[in-house]
Amino acid sequence: MIFKQRFIKSISFALCAGAIAVGSSVAQANTFRIAVGDGAGGTQHELGLKFSEVFKEKTAGKHDTKMFLNGQLGDEQATINDASMGLLDFSILAINNVTPFSPSVGVLTLPYMVHSLDDAVTLTQGEVGQQLVENTIRDAGVRIIGWAYSGFRVLTNSKQAVSSLADLEGLKIRVPNNEIMIDTYRAWGINPTPMAWSETFTGLQLGVVDGQDNPYITVSAMKFDEVQKYITNIRYLFSIEPLIVSESVFQSQPADVQKAILEAGQAATDHSAQWLVEQEDKIKAELTANGMEISEPADGEKQWMQKAIDQVWPKYYKQLGGKDNLNKILTSLGRDTI
Ligand code: MLT
């Protein structure tokens, strides 16, 4: 991991120096490219639309953006590499795909850490979020300038209704390449299949995997209802999806453009929280109208939660700044310490 980060950094600086020397498209561009992992109609798309609208307004139309949906500019994890090297301006992706490049961000993918939209807003827009922004610039060469709030990741599959952990047995579940999420499924008793986001629809369609987890709005934006039948309404992970800008691109902009980028990011973040509240129930109803069946986790999800917290959290204390740091975060959310 450390090697990977160092490699990214050294390549990044070399390329940036080269780009500036030849008068790169970065310095002159007035249409910035935004990679978006999900399809149209999702929270990522909505964040990008709002960001673009406000950014254009704030630069009096001098600058514009162009969004590339559905991973057209590469898989989400690949877009971090590209932005880090200054080859891509912006990317909107799920936080779980940032963690491999900036481990402390894993606090946002720790199972059952975030209990609500309010928790997600508190963590991302308060002191913790500010620290994560700085860590991500340092570790990955990208700056988080906005956040989309997408709701809890529910489990979907094509084979059977799942309510208890025993029902999971025998199912092949796709997870992102994220150690914390892999360990969570292991705590639940199965070995999940790590798979890039850009390959997930095809993987589900061809039966390489039977299921996956993502928020209702993402399930809809990715048309997973065409290849998945059953939903389990688990709440282990509230999906948060940052808008990142390449740090080298950001630093190459004049102060007024940097200011416009930051302000447009904040406006898009505020809009995202509101949009989720307005859309989630409607989209959930559309998915059931399209034939998906929703089950609630057995036992009020107690066993799911207990196993994940007991087996996964201790393994990541060190990566996440120690148990004391996690207790500080829990206290800031008004929760009991561990
Ligand atoms: C993933 O499952 O890899 C991501 O959370 C998908 C997304 O970006 O929506």
Side-chain angles (χ1 to χ4, degrees):
M1 170 105 60
I2 288 171
F3 168 76
K4 190 174 177 187
Q5 285 160 11
R6 287 203 183 126
F7 176 71
I8 288 170
K9 272 191 183 164
S10 53
I11 291 279
S12 165
F13 289 133
L15 279 170
C16 285
I20 289 160
V22 296
S24 75
S25 61
V26 163
Q28 294 161 12
N30 60 10
T31 297
F32 293 91
R33 290 183 313 153
I34 307 179
V36 181
D38 295 352
T43 47
Q44 294 185 356
H45 185 208
E46 190 65 24
L47 185 82
L49 286 172
K50 190 51 146 186
F51 172 79
S52 301
E53 176 199 318
V54 177
F55 179 59
K56 206 168 155 184
E57 239 171 62
K58 290 200 176 283
T59 56
K62 192 170 145 210
H63 295 291
D64 204 352
T65 61
K66 184 165 168 48
M67 268 193 279
F68 296 82
L69 299 172
N70 274 314
Q72 283 174 71
L73 296 186
D75 184 64
E76 290 193 359
Q77 293 196 3
T79 66
I80 295 248
N81 272 323
D82 289 346
S84 169
M85 292 190 271
L87 300 174
L88 171 66
D89 305 316
F90 294 88
S91 176
I92 307 176
L93 70 172
I95 196 71
N96 48 270
N97 287 326
V98 180
T99 315
F101 302 91
S102 189
S104 65
V105 167
V107 73
L108 299 176
T109 53
L110 208 51
Y112 301 99
M113 167 57 90
V114 177
H115 285 185
S116 62
L117 172 61
D118 282 352
D119 281 0
V121 170
T122 303
L123 284 185
T124 51
Q125 297 196 47
E127 237 178 82
V128 174
Q130 195 44 50
Q131 189 59 54
L132 296 180
V133 169
E134 282 160 28
N135 293 351
T136 311
I137 296 171
R138 179 198 65 205
D139 298 340
V142 298
R143 177 183 293 259
I144 298 170
I145 51 131
W147 304 92
Y149 304 104
S150 303
F152 288 102
R153 295 176 73 109
V154 295
L155 176 67
T156 70
N157 85 90
S158 56
K159 294 277 195 228
Q160 66 201 38
V162 170
S163 174
S164 66
L165 290 179
D167 297 332
L168 276 180
E169 217 174 290
L171 289 179
K172 289 175 283 174
I173 302 294
R174 173 268 170 184
V175 287
N177 203 350
N178 174 300
E179 291 300 327
I180 298 179
M181 294 168 78
I182 294 169
D183 281 334
T184 302
Y185 276 90
R186 287 191 178 142
W188 289 339
I190 61 166
N191 235 335
T193 308
M195 184 182 280
W197 181 229
S198 53
E199 291 163 19
T200 302
F201 184 90
T202 312
L204 293 167
Q205 189 177 39
L206 298 180
V208 178
V209 283
D210 305 316
Q212 61 85 47
D213 67 59
N214 259 293
Y216 285 110
I217 295 178
T218 310
V219 169
S220 166
M222 300 307 290
K223 304 194 188 317
F224 284 172
D225 51 322
E226 291 175 7
V227 289
Q228 298 278 270
K229 170 90 176 156
Y230 303 99
I231 296 180
T232 310
N233 206 16
I234 52 174
R235 298 163 72 86
Y236 84 113
L237 230 178
F238 189 100
S239 191
I240 296 173
E241 325 225 13
L243 164 59
I244 58 166
V245 59
S246 158
E247 182 62 5
S248 56
V249 170
F250 183 77
Q251 292 303 339
S252 71
Q253 301 306 311
D256 61 329
V257 177
Q258 288 186 350
K259 186 165 175 275
I261 290 174
L262 297 176
E263 288 176 357
Q266 184 59 50
T269 302
D270 297 342
H271 172 73
S272 174
Q274 184 57 35
W275 196 76
L276 174 66
V277 172
E278 289 162 9
Q279 298 295 317
E280 195 174 32
D281 283 349
K282 194 178 86 183
I283 285 173
K284 187 173 168 184
E286 279 168 19
L287 290 173
T288 48
N290 290 350
M292 294 194 86
E293 290 175 14
I294 302 182
S295 305
E296 293 302 324
D299 188 26
E301 209 173 334
K302 277 198 200 107
Q303 216 192 2
W304 299 70
M305 191 183 314
Q306 207 57 53
K307 281 191 186 284
I309 291 177
D310 289 352
Q311 293 177 42
V312 181
W313 281 44
K315 189 169 168 192
Y316 291 92
Y317 286 158
K318 194 158 169 234
Q319 173 179 320
L320 303 178
K323 198 171 168 184
D324 287 350
N325 187 43
L326 288 182
N327 277 332
K328 224 169 82 190
I329 295 171
L330 287 168
T331 305
S332 76
L333 295 175
R335 298 235 294 278
D336 291 343
T337 53
I338 41 169

